[in-house]
Amino acid sequence: MIVDEAYELANGVRIPVLGLGTWFIEGAAAAQAVRDAVETGYRNIDTAQAYGNERGVGEGARTSGLARHELFVSTKLAAEIKEYDAAVAAIDGSLDALGLDHIDLMMIHSPQPWADFRGGDYAEGNREAWRALESAYEQGKLRAIGVSNFRQGDLENLFAVCDVVPQVNQVLVHAGNTPSELLAFCAARDIVVEAYSPIGHGAILTNAEIAAIAGRYEVSVPQLCIRYTLQLGTVSLPKTADRAHMRSNAQVDFVISEPDMRTLEALRIRDYGEHSVFPVYSMK
């Protein structure tokens, strides 16, 4: 089953290819979502300081019934933190909030603060934040380190000074929004890409072309979309607190044909509905 499959990061750490996104799942609901996901077979749980639910996610992980080494927990350094000492403190803050002795993957959430997303020059600030992640990685607090929402230039800024190349880049990827050049750039440098919002926040559920392709495989549109991101070679992170959806999202052990993959890759569907107010969906 897909929940049993994993990629190997550049440092040898294995990351399950299907994970649970937890954005907008709060408190006790986050804890229960993690427990439900684990019961369904998931072993990869993604959160962030900005989500405000690290305590709930950590509680779910600790009460899931799994040994710590069986679960892969990721979080993200707040996008506004672009200074070394603040980043060091925030990393320790995440460890405390999660209640875990280590974090499997920690990322810089964005190359710019959210209020200036895709705006000013934060190159030096990103280098400082990265230096803090490297330090925590060397101390064993973090098993892997990476970035999120980074474009090629943002990555190259870190390459110029880093001791550890980012092992992951978590970006927006779904049928209708496939950053093919960035995917190829990351693959060439042994950076695993994680696809957030692989179902496009539901905006593509009513797309007739996608529905027709899903029908040919006798699967749902969300299942097709998740499978698409997996076949691109990314880690897929569908978000849900619904146990039935978790189960359905994991039932993707089918193969999309090459012609259908090309059709999905060529689609341009960027209608995020009410979520369009968030910077990552603004298409800047």
Side-chain angles (χ1 to χ4, degrees):
M1 292 183 63
I2 200 69
V3 291
D4 299 318
E5 297 182 20
Y7 296 129
E8 188 172 290
L9 301 180
N11 65 348
V13 169
R14 290 176 63 78
I15 179 171
V17 303
L18 182 68
L20 177 74
T22 63
W23 187 33
F24 278 126
I25 306 176
E26 300 180 356
Q32 189 59 50
V34 172
R35 288 190 290 265
D36 289 344
V38 167
E39 186 177 334
T40 305
Y42 289 72
R43 296 296 181 264
N44 183 350
I45 309 296
D46 179 79
T47 184
Q49 293 175 353
Y51 299 172
N53 63 5
E54 285 181 320
R55 291 193 184 280
V57 168
E59 178 189 339
R62 295 192 310 274
T63 59
S64 68
L66 290 182
R68 177 67 187 92
H69 72 273
E70 296 181 90
L71 200 57
F72 191 99
V73 179
S74 303
T75 193
K76 306 176 199 73
L77 183 69
E80 294 72 25
I81 298 175
K82 302 298 181 192
E83 190 270 329
Y84 177 80
D85 288 339
V88 168
I91 293 165
D92 287 340
S94 281
L95 282 161
D96 179 68
L98 288 163
L100 302 176
D101 61 357
H102 69 272
I103 296 166
D104 296 286
L105 168 64
M106 193 162 191
M107 297 161 274
I108 299 174
H109 205 158
S110 168
Q112 300 87 21
W114 296 124
D116 193 27
F117 188 64
R118 305 301 187 208
D121 182 1
Y122 298 90
E124 186 56 36
N126 286 319
R127 291 178 176 185
E128 289 292 296
W130 187 253
R131 188 161 63 89
L133 287 181
E134 286 185 324
S135 178
Y137 175 70
E138 290 165 2
Q139 294 171 53
K141 296 177 180 180
L142 313 174
R143 295 181 66 226
I145 51 179
V147 294
S148 181
N149 296 299
F150 272 49
R151 293 174 169 172
Q152 180 174 331
D154 303 314
L155 287 165
E156 290 174 335
N157 171 56
L158 297 185
F159 293 165
V161 298
C162 68
D163 293 322
V164 180
V165 172
Q167 290 141 351
V168 170
N169 188 14
Q170 185 181 120
V171 298
L172 178 64
V173 182
H174 59 78
N177 184 74
T178 306
S180 300
E181 291 184 5
L182 181 60
L183 294 178
F185 179 83
C186 289
R189 287 149 186 84
D190 207 10
I191 300 171
V192 169
V193 172
E194 291 189 310
Y196 69 78
S197 297
I199 311 173
H201 270 286
I204 61 179
L205 294 176
T206 57
N207 181 273
E209 190 169 7
I210 291 180
I213 295 174
R216 292 203 293 273
Y217 294 94
E218 300 182 336
V219 299
S220 69
V221 167
Q223 287 170 329
L224 180 79
C225 291
I226 292 166
R227 182 68 206 183
Y228 171 68
T229 57
L230 292 170
Q231 284 188 217
L232 288 174
T234 72
V235 171
S236 194
L237 297 171
K239 170 259 174 182
T240 184
D242 185 281
R243 187 193 297 247
H245 289 167
M246 292 176 192
R247 188 177 301 111
S248 177
N249 289 346
Q251 294 171 346
V252 291
D253 291 297
F254 62 98
V255 177
I256 302 171
S257 71
E258 281 303 315
D260 284 339
M261 284 293 293
R262 289 194 293 270
T263 296
L264 293 169
E265 187 171 357
L267 288 177
R268 297 294 178 265
I269 306 170
R270 297 174 177 175
D271 177 8
Y272 300 103
E274 63 182 10
H275 292 95
S276 297
V277 299
F278 293 99
V280 292
Y281 302 118
S282 65
M283 293 298 110
K284 289 183 180 179

